[in-house]
Amino acid sequence: VEIDEEAAFYVGQKLLLLLKLKLSKGQEISRPLVDSFAHPGALPETEMLVPIDLREAAANVPGCEGRLVDDEGRLGVELMVQHLGIQGAAEAIVQAQLRYLANPDGILEDSRPKPMNVQEWKESWEEWEEEEEEEEMVDEEEAEEEVEEEGEEGYREGGVKRKAEE
């Protein structure tokens, strides 16, 4: 099962609990707290991470083209704060966890992203990057082969035409 990147972003469990607590008590949310959600790999390796589903948040942030997670696995916190404000960005992160828990796509539990620690996340991220690089290399090789085949066909066609003209 292919999981959309936006549907499976990881955040620190303790940070998420702190954010929820502050929001529930009506406390001010600081920018550094929201910024701490930008990159799960920046947290201590034993820290637990939980998946959240950012698709709804991405749809509500203009200029991100439906993607809040960049190719390095970083959340576009700056873009979120710019369009939603600090409080709105914090609420969007909490809503993203609720969306994940609600499982709107009805994905079987065994196929869904699971909580993991930062070390496990880093390892899985490295594996994912390697797979992406391999796919890109295969795509490039296939594109090169297509160009070569088209060139050979054009040469053959041109050769046939020349012989027929003689």
Side-chain angles (χ1 to χ4, degrees):
V1 173
E2 184 80 13
I3 305 288
D4 181 353
E5 291 171 20
E6 305 298 312
F9 183 75
Y10 281 84
V11 296
Q13 185 175 31
K14 289 178 186 174
L15 288 171
L16 186 60
L17 290 172
L18 176 62
L19 190 65
K20 286 177 163 182
L21 184 64
K22 284 183 169 278
L23 285 170
S24 71
K25 292 185 174 192
Q27 295 177 351
E28 184 179 337
I29 306 299
S30 69
R31 176 65 192 256
L33 177 57
V34 172
D35 286 343
S36 65
F37 288 92
H39 187 56
L43 298 171
E45 292 205 339
T46 57
E47 185 82 22
M48 281 305 294
L49 301 174
V50 293
I52 62 174
D53 183 340
L54 289 164
R55 290 177 295 178
E56 190 173 305
N60 293 327
V61 174
C64 75
E65 299 168 8
R67 291 197 63 204
L68 283 173
V69 180
D70 69 15
D71 292 337
E72 273 84 51
R74 296 180 189 279
L75 177 60
V77 172
E78 182 65 37
L79 201 54
M80 291 176 73
V81 169
Q82 194 175 53
H83 292 284
L84 306 172
I86 294 172
Q87 189 80 11
E91 290 169 357
I93 291 168
V94 170
Q95 287 302 312
Q97 187 206 22
L98 295 175
R99 180 181 167 87
Y100 174 81
L101 293 172
N103 191 11
D105 299 324
I107 298 172
L108 295 174
E109 198 59 39
D110 291 348
S111 301
R112 297 183 76 207
K114 305 277 185 273
M116 63 178 79
N117 67 34
V118 172
Q119 183 178 347
E120 292 167 329
W121 178 86
K122 286 179 178 178
E123 290 167 4
S124 73
W125 182 258
E126 288 170 7
E127 287 173 19
W128 180 83
E129 281 184 318
E130 288 173 11
E131 289 172 12
E132 285 292 304
E133 287 174 14
E134 288 173 12
E135 284 179 26
E136 285 176 19
M137 287 180 13
V138 168
D139 290 346
E140 287 174 14
E141 289 172 6
E142 288 174 356
E144 286 174 11
E145 288 173 9
E146 285 177 22
V147 169
E148 287 174 10
E149 288 172 8
E150 288 172 7
E152 289 172 8
E153 286 177 19
Y155 175 76
R156 277 190 234 121
E157 289 172 10
V160 170
K161 286 179 188 171
R162 280 191 215 111
K163 286 185 181 176
E165 289 171 2
E166 290 175 3

